[in-house]
């Protein structure tokens, strides 16, 4: 199939690599010439294990190319995936400017296109967005009828950063929200070779499924953290408790998120919790548990800060800045919040994160790092040993395996604070866990 992908961030770039590797002809579209240049040179615009090899393969075989030319991308393809960002507004609602802009551009090109084209929304959008925003813009700009003259569908992604390629190849399910049967059929043919159930629903149901999954993941992280905090306070290792709880696969479900530790972050969970609770408030629906998730998450960042501050030492090494290992994504990273708290309280902070260091020099996140958090990024140091040796307190912030030995044997004269669970033991004199 000939596919155009709009937005070459964490979702779009992975989809481009995976689809081209499966034999499809893919055109990646982005307003950033830096991203397009990286793609066309077989380089990844993001840090994601295995992605660069797929992109390079796509370029070498001629199945992948990048462009800023929207009209050419629409004319040359039969299906478009919208993977542009939908960030949070200050009130928690979604910012739809990118979605609206790309829909207008696509609509004007569809006005002149004589063959059928299907527009698929991969971006995470609240229920009703496609019906009330996407379709009206496409119809107005094209002068055509959705579901008749062109297709529309929703295809929510379930890709976790740092394991996105594995998640694409081995999904738990593929959800298709279809306006018309022909659009659903096109998407089903795209995923038919994957070993996972294909679930076809109405568009609004598919939109809601994505939010339900992400808010549930956020709730599991929050639940595990609160259990871990209580367990530690009564002298129990919260990890032991949750390990047993997670052995019940019938009622307690997956253990992936059910691990006591640090706050959740990233581009999905915080944004989606805020958006769904904002909409619940608009609808006058009481949601006390969901409404408390973000407050509990903030409290876990404060908990980590309090542990660090309790040791009355000022030189702190923060190992990890992205919200999880294996990615350079700093959006809503609780480690960035922790770093800002430490800076604000006058701690002498040094930060090591090889993926963020790479992104600061080469990646598509360079502009974000330089413009949004220059006060934090200026403290990055690419010399791991120098960061560790120059500190009094070492904070293990994400699950980079290079950090694990420090939790097993704290360097002499230094205090280790483990936020991720590398410790085999519970808190002792030189190593303290956040929930154990």
């Amino acid at each position: 199939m000939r596919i155009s992908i709009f937005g070459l961030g964490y979702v779009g770039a992975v989809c481009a690599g995976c689809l081209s590797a499966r034999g499809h002809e893919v055109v990646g579209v982005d307003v950033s010439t830096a991203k397009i240049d990286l793609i066309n040179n077989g380089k990844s615009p993001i840090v994601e294990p295995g992605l660069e090899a797929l992109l390079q393969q796509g370029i070498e075989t001629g199945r992948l190319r990048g462009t800023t030319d929207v009209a050419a991308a629409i004319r040359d393809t039969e299906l478009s995936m919208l993977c542009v960002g939908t960030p949070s507004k200050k009130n928690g609602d979604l910012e739809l400017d990118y979605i609206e802009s790309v829909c207008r551009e696509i609509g004007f090109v569809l006005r002149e296109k004589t063959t059928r084209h299907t527009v698929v929304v991969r971006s995470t959008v609240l229920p009703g967005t496609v019906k009330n925003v996407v379709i009206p813009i496409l119809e107005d700009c094209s002068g055509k009828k959705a579901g008749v003259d062109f297709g529309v569908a929703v295809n929510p992604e379930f890709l976790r950063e740092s394991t996105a390629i594995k998640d694409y190849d081995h999904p738990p399910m593929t959800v298709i929200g279809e306006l018309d049967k022909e659009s659903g059929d096109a998407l089903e043919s795209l995923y038919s070779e994957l070993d996972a159930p294909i679930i076809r629903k109405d568009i609004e149901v598919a939109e809601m499924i994505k939010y339900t999954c992400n808010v549930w993941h956020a709730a599991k992280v929050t639940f595990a953290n609160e259990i871990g905090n209580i367990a530690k306070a009564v002298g129990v290792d919260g990890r032991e408790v949750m390990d047993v709880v997670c052995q019940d696969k019938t009622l307690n479900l997956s253990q992936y998120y059910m691990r006591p530790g640090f706050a959740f972050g990233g581009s999905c969970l915080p944004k989606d919790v805020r958006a769904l609770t904002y909409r619940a408030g608009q609808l006058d629906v009481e949601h006390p548990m969901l409404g408390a998730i973000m407050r509990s998450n903030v409290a876990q960042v404060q908990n980590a800060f309090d542990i660090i501050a309790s040791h009355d030492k000022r030189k702190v090494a923060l190992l990890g800045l992205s919200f999880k290992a294996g990615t350079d994504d700093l959006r809503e990273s609780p480690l960035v919040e922790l770093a800002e708290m430490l800076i604000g309280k006058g701690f002498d902070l040094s930060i090591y994160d090889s993926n963020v260091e790479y992104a600061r020099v080469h990646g598509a996140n360079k502009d974000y790092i330089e413009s949004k958090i220059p006060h934090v990024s200026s403290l990055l140091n690419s010399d791991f040993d120098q960061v560790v040796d120059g500190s009094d307190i070492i904070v293990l912030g994400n699950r980079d395996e290079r950090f694990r030995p420090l939790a097993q044997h704290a360097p002499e004269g230094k205090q280790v604070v483990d936020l991720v669970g590398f410790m085999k033991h519970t808190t002792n004199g030189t190593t303290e866990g956040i929930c154990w």
Side-chain angles (χ1 to χ4, degrees):
M1 189 179 294
R2 292 175 293 121
I3 304 164
S4 48
I5 296 177
F6 287 79
L8 295 174
Y10 288 88
V11 175
V14 170
C15 290
C18 291
L19 285 167
S20 62
R22 291 179 175 275
H24 301 283
E25 296 180 32
V26 179
V27 180
V29 188
D30 202 285
V31 296
S32 169
T33 56
K35 288 184 181 180
I36 296 303
D37 289 343
L38 286 168
I39 292 290
N40 285 332
N41 284 295
K43 302 292 186 182
S44 175
I46 61 169
V47 172
E48 182 62 44
L51 179 57
E52 191 154 297
L54 292 185
L55 295 175
Q56 187 172 8
Q57 175 185 317
I59 294 297
E60 291 174 351
T61 59
R63 290 195 294 264
L64 172 64
R65 63 183 175 88
T67 183
T68 58
D69 189 337
V70 173
I74 294 296
R75 287 196 300 267
D76 293 343
T77 59
E78 55 199 291
L79 183 146
S80 294
M81 290 184 169
L82 310 191
C83 302
V84 298
T86 53
S88 287
K89 294 180 179 179
K90 288 183 178 180
N91 63 6
D93 196 11
L94 290 187
E95 178 60 72
L96 296 176
D97 286 356
Y98 301 128
I99 284 279
E100 293 174 359
S101 176
V102 75
C103 285
R104 280 191 288 270
E105 292 187 88
I106 291 172
F108 285 127
V109 181
L110 291 182
R111 180 181 289 270
E112 307 300 327
K113 188 168 184 177
T114 57
T115 56
R116 180 181 170 88
H117 197 90
T118 302
V119 179
V120 179
V121 178
R122 288 278 268 172
S123 302
T124 301
V125 293
L126 283 163
T129 302
V130 171
K131 178 181 178 181
N132 298 322
V133 177
V134 171
I135 290 176
I137 291 176
L138 289 171
E139 289 184 335
D140 181 61
C141 294
S142 68
K144 296 180 178 181
K145 181 69 174 175
V148 178
D149 303 310
F150 63 90
V152 176
V154 169
N155 180 212
E157 49 82 20
F158 301 99
L159 307 176
R160 297 166 296 172
E161 292 173 30
S162 79
T163 59
I165 293 172
K166 178 182 177 182
D167 291 343
Y168 185 97
D169 290 335
H170 305 283
M173 61 185 175
T174 298
V175 177
I176 297 171
E178 57 191 52
L179 178 67
D180 56 286
K181 184 177 182 301
E182 191 171 347
S183 295
D185 289 345
L187 274 176
E188 181 161 353
S189 69
L190 200 62
Y191 297 117
S192 59
E193 63 187 29
L194 297 178
D195 184 19
I198 293 178
I199 301 168
R200 294 172 64 162
K201 297 289 183 180
D202 292 338
I203 279 178
E204 290 85 356
V205 175
E207 290 170 320
M208 188 65 191
I209 286 170
K210 171 65 173 180
Y211 275 95
T212 303
C213 289
N214 274 1
V215 175
W216 171 229
H217 299 332
K220 287 184 285 186
V221 174
T222 301
F223 176 78
N225 286 343
E226 292 188 357
I227 291 295
N229 292 340
I230 296 168
K232 182 183 177 183
V234 299
V236 173
D237 188 335
R239 297 171 300 179
E240 285 191 58
V241 174
M242 292 307 300
D243 282 345
V244 175
V245 169
C246 289
Q247 289 181 36
D248 178 358
K249 298 296 194 293
T250 303
L251 298 178
N252 292 340
L253 302 179
S254 166
Q255 65 180 10
Y256 182 82
Y257 294 94
M258 301 285 278
R259 294 186 304 222
F262 196 40
F264 61 79
S267 60
C268 296
L269 302 192
K271 177 173 74 78
D272 293 350
V273 172
R274 279 196 296 267
L276 193 62
T277 53
Y278 176 83
R279 181 57 57 86
Q282 282 187 317
L283 297 169
D284 292 327
V285 176
E286 291 292 331
H287 52 288
M289 178 186 169
L290 299 185
I293 288 175
M294 293 307 297
R295 293 196 299 275
S296 181
N297 204 51
V298 170
Q300 196 69 346
V301 179
Q302 182 67 49
N303 186 22
F305 174 83
D306 291 343
I307 289 173
I308 296 167
S310 70
H311 293 289
D312 199 27
K313 297 179 180 181
R314 307 306 294 177
K315 294 183 179 180
V316 178
L318 179 59
L319 305 186
L321 189 61
S322 60
F323 81 102
K324 64 187 291 191
T327 179
D328 60 338
D329 195 354
L330 296 173
R331 289 174 293 179
E332 305 227 34
S333 171
L335 292 170
V336 172
E337 294 181 42
L338 179 60
E340 290 178 327
M341 293 172 72
L342 292 167
I343 293 169
K345 291 298 182 180
F347 284 82
D348 183 359
L349 181 64
S350 184
I351 305 170
Y352 175 84
D353 190 312
S354 59
N355 288 327
V356 175
E357 182 68 32
Y358 175 87
R360 182 169 66 164
V361 179
H362 302 288
N365 279 327
K366 183 173 183 289
D367 290 340
Y368 176 88
I369 293 169
E370 292 178 347
S371 63
K372 300 295 185 182
I373 55 167
H375 54 300
V376 176
S377 67
S378 65
L379 301 177
L380 280 165
N381 186 335
S382 60
D383 190 325
F384 175 81
D385 292 331
Q386 190 177 85
V387 171
V388 171
D389 292 343
S391 66
D392 296 320
I393 300 177
I394 303 168
V395 181
L396 312 184
N398 66 32
R399 299 188 69 84
D400 186 323
E401 284 297 321
R402 187 172 185 181
F403 308 156
R404 184 183 293 274
L406 295 168
Q408 313 303 333
H409 303 286
E412 185 175 353
K414 300 184 187 300
Q415 181 71 40
V416 173
V417 176
D418 181 9
L419 303 182
V420 296
F422 280 142
M423 298 163 58
K424 294 180 180 178
H425 49 75
T426 55
T427 293
N428 58 28
T430 58
T431 310
E432 180 166 0
I434 189 170
C435 286
W436 46 89

